[in-house]
């Protein structure tokens, strides 16, 4: 007996729809691997097609340019890894969670090679820098601002803190440690850094 529409299981995408999703994911991996290996300036659309094993048409149907492709994919990943804004119960807990989440992301071998290159390229390419700022940096600053305003509402922070400076303190020390200074980033370091950031935020008046 044939099933009716109410008892039939939902159909999954098949055929060309699945192929398109698969191709997009293959290209996505190829873009990040090419960025890590060659850097933004030297990366080309042709190199991505070779690495992904797809034709140029498959790439250009999705993105008209290298800049558009990189911005789209980097923004997508950045959105997937936005800092959590759920209330841990204290500003100290929120700071430590932010540090741990950021550190886990920065430890990925591709991220560790791609981020410094994109930051450097942003200083040479104003349009790229502005787009990355709006799609990657701004959402993170908004998330941290949410955490800080909640701490003000709880009475953990004075209302007259320099919000912009306090936001800087959440991420800047960790990024400098990972990408410039180097050194241990173990649990003991996370604890010390969280305490230092908390003290700095309190002092940012």
């Amino acid at each position: 007996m044939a099933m009716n529409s109410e008892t039939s299981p939902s159909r999954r995408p098949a055929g060309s729809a699945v192929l398109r999703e698969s191709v997009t994911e293959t290209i996505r991996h190829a873009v990040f691997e090419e960025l890590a290996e060659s850097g933004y300036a030297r990366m080309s659309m042709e190199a991505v097609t070779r690495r992904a094993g797809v034709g140029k048409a498959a790439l250009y149907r999705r993105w008209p340019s290298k800049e558009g492709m990189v911005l789209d994919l980097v923004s997508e990943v950045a959105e997937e890894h936005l800092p959590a804004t759920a209330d841990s119960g204290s500003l100290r807990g929120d700071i430590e969670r932010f540090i741990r989440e950021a550190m886990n992301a920065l430890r990925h071998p591709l991220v560790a090679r791609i981020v410094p290159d994109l930051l450097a390229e942003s200083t040479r390419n104003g349009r790229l820098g502005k787009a990355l700022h709006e799609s990657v940096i701004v959402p993170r600053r908004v998330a941290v601002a949410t955490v800080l305003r909640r701490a003000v509402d709880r009475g953990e922070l004075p209302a007259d803190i320099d919000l912009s400076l306090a936001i800087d303190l959440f991420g800047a020390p960790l990024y400098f440690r990972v990408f410039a200074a180097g050194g241990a980033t173990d649990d003991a370091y996370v604890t010390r850094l969280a305490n230092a950031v908390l003290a700095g935020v309190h002092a940012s008046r």
Side-chain angles (χ1 to χ4, degrees):
M1 181 175 64
M3 296 182 184
N4 61 33
S5 60
E6 294 180 349
T7 58
S8 299
S10 59
R11 296 181 61 188
R12 296 180 178 180
S16 60
V18 172
L19 178 61
R20 286 194 296 272
E21 292 172 5
S22 174
V23 170
T24 299
E25 187 61 22
T26 297
I27 295 172
R28 186 174 186 258
H29 283 295
V31 168
F32 288 118
E33 289 171 358
E34 193 66 28
L35 268 176
E37 183 174 308
S38 303
Y40 179 85
R42 293 171 53 199
M43 187 183 80
S44 67
M45 300 285 273
E46 290 73 17
V48 172
T49 61
R50 287 195 299 270
R51 186 181 289 271
V54 300
K56 289 183 180 180
L59 202 61
Y60 283 98
R61 276 200 300 268
R62 291 163 172 79
W63 303 282
S65 67
K66 178 177 76 172
E67 183 178 294
M69 176 179 67
V70 170
L71 286 173
D72 185 33
L73 294 179
V74 169
S75 300
E76 179 183 293
V77 172
E79 184 176 354
E80 291 171 359
H81 295 88
L82 276 174
T85 57
D87 191 347
S88 71
S90 70
L91 177 58
R92 172 63 174 71
D94 290 343
I95 290 172
E96 182 164 341
R97 182 177 57 196
F98 175 90
I99 292 171
R100 291 190 182 280
E101 289 181 358
M103 188 177 296
N104 287 337
L106 296 176
R107 280 174 172 165
H108 190 287
L110 289 181
V111 172
R113 296 166 66 186
I114 290 170
V115 170
D117 175 73
L118 287 179
L119 289 175
E121 187 62 32
S122 294
T123 66
R124 297 185 289 266
N125 184 330
R127 188 170 63 176
L128 177 67
K130 181 179 179 181
L132 286 173
H133 179 79
E134 292 175 352
S135 63
V136 178
I137 305 301
V138 169
R140 275 156 177 70
R141 293 182 70 83
V142 169
V144 174
T146 298
V147 170
L148 292 170
R149 290 192 179 100
R150 185 170 61 218
V152 171
D153 292 340
R154 283 195 303 242
E156 290 185 274
L157 286 175
D160 62 343
I161 63 167
D162 182 333
L163 187 62
S164 181
L165 174 58
I167 292 171
D168 290 343
L169 293 171
F170 262 67
L174 178 61
Y175 289 117
F176 185 81
R177 177 81 164 198
V178 172
F179 294 130
T185 53
D186 53 15
D187 284 345
Y189 172 76
V190 170
T191 298
R192 294 194 303 273
L193 179 57
N195 290 336
V197 171
L198 180 62
V201 168
H202 275 285
S204 59
R205 302 178 66 176

